[in-house]
Amino acid sequence: MMQPESVSKAAGVSFFLRSLKSIALAALLFSSASALAVEIDVHGFLMGTASSRVNSTPLKTGEKNNWLLSEERLQVELSAESDEGDTAMVAKINFLNDHVAGNADIDVRELYGEYIADDFEVRIGRQMLTWGVTDRLFINDVFPKNWSAFFAGQPLEYMKIGSDMAKVFLFGDSWDVELALIPIAQFDITPGTDRFVVFDPGFSVVEPENRLSNGELAGRLHTTFGTTDIALYAFKGFWHQPDKGVSGTNIIYPRLNSYGFTVQDTVMGGVLSLETGFYHSIDDNSGTDPLIANSQYRYMVGYEREVATDVTLGLQWYGEVMNNHASYLAAAEPLFRLA
Amino acid sequence: MNYFAKEIQMKKYILLTVGMALFAYNSTAQAEDAASIMNKAHLASYYAADDGKASVYMEIINPDGGKRIREFTILRKDVEDGGDQKFYIHFKKPNDVRDMTFLVNKHPDRDDDRWLFIPSIKMVKRIAASDARAAFVGSDYTYEDISGRHPNSDNSELVGEEDFDGRKTWLLKNTPKEELDDYSWRNTWVDQETYLVLKESYYDEDGEEVRRFTTDEYKKVDGFWVGIAGTMENFELEHKTRVRFSNVKLNVGVPNKVFTERSLKSAPKKWIR
């Protein structure tokens, strides 16, 4: 079994290489843009972030590190568009000095080119998608999240991770459709023992092989009836969390198909939201494999309204219902007896 | 927290920007009753032409002279004169709200429908209607006095005619039918030629002037009189907000599809330049 340390180092290096390639691509894209005398907009910010525990807790690595987060980050956003406004390029790159990890890194948050026609758009590259009507709970937003950044106290923006994808956006007068093809699945980043006090089973993570059949597909159809927003969602890909499958001493990401819908409208001065989805865990269809997550239904009912000037109160009721619960219990029981 | 603060701030922007509706002109100046004058002033201020676009530059000025700047583009389309309207508001400055976008379907008879696009996470969020008398981010406008207080909400009384800055105006006293917290009544000076509100003074129950709106500059655009600069002052807080429109264009044929969720996720570049 690999040591967790070497796993994380290897991941760091490949990530860095991936970033370098992206930067080279960005440089190429923008140098060709400047050759065509296109104006490039540059925006950005410099941010210092630190968050600390109030008591001293040894992490699994034995070090006492009270800092969850201590970093400086420079975000540079470059964008350019053609005179007609039909083609555009965007690069959002973060340069960070991470005192907790003890290194400097480059994070390519977004990097894409797009073509915009009257009734469709194509956007190719690393980009972010946010779907659904839940607030910090996710049903039809199946896209990868950075839970480590979220729990360490980074701004909300850093909870989302971009995926490399080709996205087509089609629209009519009263409807629009988004279709995303993600060739290589991107998984959630979960809190690790480098910053958090969490149990580490010492398992290795095995991601699906990079081949076309392991690509992911996501689609959303949105329309309005009167003042009501309605959207339908479908996804074919993988579970993105590391607690959904185990094979030997490896964490694996089982296959997942999901389907769902959202309804949202203004009701009595507030906004009423409904969201539901069925997560079909197709590698454990019958629910008899205790090492792979069962299928489940997820639902959320939410209401948000301004209760006083500049004070908004939002309430959400969220539920998950496991499919084939009896099969899961029957299959899991012997495992616990052995343990 | 950052996100919530931003959102609240942005909600307030809506209020302001809705009120940035363009001012129009009606040429018949004749003996009229107070209700009719206020009604025409309402239409002139908020329903000029069938649609319009403008770039808006706003300065929020502290008592010590410190300024905060907001810049945005606003697109408007009327569904019906005096009735429903659609607004698309795209922020350019400051940097922390750049590309933040609002879509508002205004309904005078019920709650507005509003959507907000948060660019950092590419999220479209439906947002609840705000309190009509709420002030927005340290600014001196309230939602209502900018999005257009419906003339039916007040008892209007024609006090007389007055010369104001060399213009002939009607002076009206407007008293809210339902008691408000922030003022008791207001005096409104309506230009007899253009029906633009040139000045509006708000008084508390002791007759002390607490707030004042002035139209600082207006001109004829595409056949309609338009207020292109205005100031709202709060005398209690010694605070004021200045607004200036540029690039004002009316009856430009903004298509309906600009006022859709699609435009929130993918700004119509041609229309927001």
Side-chain angles (χ1 to χ4, degrees), chain A residues 43-44 77 81-83 85 88 110 112 114 116-118 121 123 128 130 134-136 156-157 160 169 171 173 176 178 220 222 227 229 264-266 268-271 304-306 309-310 312, chain B residues 1-4 7-8 11-12 92 95 98-99 107 110-115 119-131 133-135 137 257 260-262 265-267 269-270 273:
Chain A
H43 294 272
E77 187 178 347
E81 62 185 55
S82 62
D83 284 345
E110 293 175 50
Y112 59 81
E114 63 183 342
I116 303 157
D118 231 23
E121 281 177 31
R123 187 178 280 185
M128 233 177 253
T130 301
T134 44
D135 190 3
R136 265 152 270 215
L156 190 67
E157 160 171 13
K160 300 283 294 189
F169 197 0
F171 4 82
D173 284 339
D176 54 271
E178 284 175 282
R220 175 183 186 263
H222 165 261
T227 62
D229 281 304
Q264 201 169 40
D265 205 349
T266 307
M268 293 167 60
V271 175
E304 188 179 293
R305 93 170 267 182
E306 192 168 47
T309 300
D310 293 345
T312 300
Chain B
M1 291 315 288
N2 196 8
Y3 157 70
F4 280 123
E7 190 189 324
I8 286 165
K11 274 186 191 173
K12 291 183 162 185
K92 289 186 164 56
N95 195 38
R98 188 172 56 90
D99 287 336
H107 311 292
R110 60 195 160 88
D111 289 330
D112 297 348
D113 298 309
R114 301 192 184 113
W115 295 263
S120 61
I121 52 169
K122 303 283 188 285
M123 182 188 189
V124 172
K125 186 173 166 51
R126 192 148 175 168
I127 51 178
S130 293
D131 171 10
R133 300 303 305 168
V137 267
K257 67 181 175 193
T260 59
E261 189 187 286
R262 175 249 170 129
K265 291 183 171 179
S266 171
K269 296 183 167 65
K270 176 185 160 193
R273 274 181 181 165

Side-chain angles (χ1 to χ4, degrees), chain B residues 138-158:
Chain B
S139 145
D140 302 284
Y141 288 88
T142 67
Y143 188 142
E144 192 177 62
D145 53 35
I146 288 180
S147 71
R149 182 173 169 83
H150 201 278
N152 289 348
S153 310
D154 301 311
N155 289 316
S156 301
E157 179 192 328
L158 185 57

